[in-house]
Amino acid sequence: MEIHRKGDLTEAVVIAELMKRSVPVSIPFGDNERYDIVTETPDGGLLKLQIKTGWMADGTIAFHGTSQHTNATGNVYEEHSDDVDFFLVYCHELESMYLVREDEFQTRMSLRVEEPEQVKPSTNWPEEYEFDANWPPA
């Protein structure tokens, strides 16, 4: 599937999953904002979320924290820096959703699904980021 279509599918699935959980969702007009959706927390707070597609790679769910757009010179990749509150990552292979704070990584992150040969302190476990366990964020 073409990368932009996969991204559109991910956004549709995530919005449907949020609606199933009675999480209010607002979508900005146009595609010029640095965030994909705005959600409302139970206490009435608003959060800007960037939806990302996670993919399985070497026993992990990997995803990028950059946005891609095209201009006259080709593809341009931009990091998110304080312009979103969270990344909401959806992995189609596992049908799972993860909530990751924007400041937890820069351009790429992975969540270790399979047990590694050696556990390191820097290992990110998916249970720590599972959406249902972390909503609403503290």
Side-chain angles (χ1 to χ4, degrees):
M1 179 181 292
E2 179 189 324
I3 192 164
H4 291 290
R5 288 189 188 276
K6 184 83 169 214
D8 290 344
L9 174 61
T10 300
E11 286 185 26
V13 169
V14 164
I15 291 169
E17 289 296 324
L18 292 172
M19 299 300 291
K20 284 183 196 175
R21 292 164 172 80
S22 299
V23 176
V25 176
S26 296
I27 302 170
F29 179 77
D31 61 356
N32 295 317
E33 303 305 326
R34 296 285 290 148
Y35 52 90
D36 292 318
I37 61 174
V38 175
T39 57
E40 183 178 345
T41 61
D43 65 359
L46 300 176
L47 297 173
K48 297 180 288 186
L49 301 179
Q50 178 68 34
I51 298 171
K52 292 294 182 183
T53 303
W55 66 92
M56 294 300 299
D58 299 321
T60 69
I61 301 166
F63 56 96
H64 292 288
T66 56
S67 288
Q68 173 188 340
H69 67 273
T70 306
N71 64 20
T73 62
N75 290 334
V76 177
Y77 298 90
E78 292 182 49
E79 289 183 29
H80 291 273
S81 179
D82 298 329
D83 47 5
V84 299
D85 298 305
F86 289 90
F87 291 96
L88 208 162
V89 180
Y90 186 80
C91 178
H92 292 273
E93 293 91 342
L94 300 178
E95 296 182 349
S96 55
M97 215 165 45
Y98 305 93
L99 192 64
V100 180
R101 290 188 179 282
E102 182 272 333
D103 61 1
E104 288 200 40
F105 72 106
Q106 291 199 316
T107 59
R108 184 180 166 121
M109 184 176 184
S110 59
L111 305 176
R112 172 61 60 186
V113 177
E114 296 174 5
E115 195 66 33
E117 290 179 21
Q118 227 179 351
V119 176
K120 299 177 183 175
S122 61
T123 301
N124 298 304
W125 301 101
E127 301 81 35
E128 297 171 23
Y129 298 94
E130 184 179 48
F131 181 83
D132 290 325
N134 290 291
W135 186 262

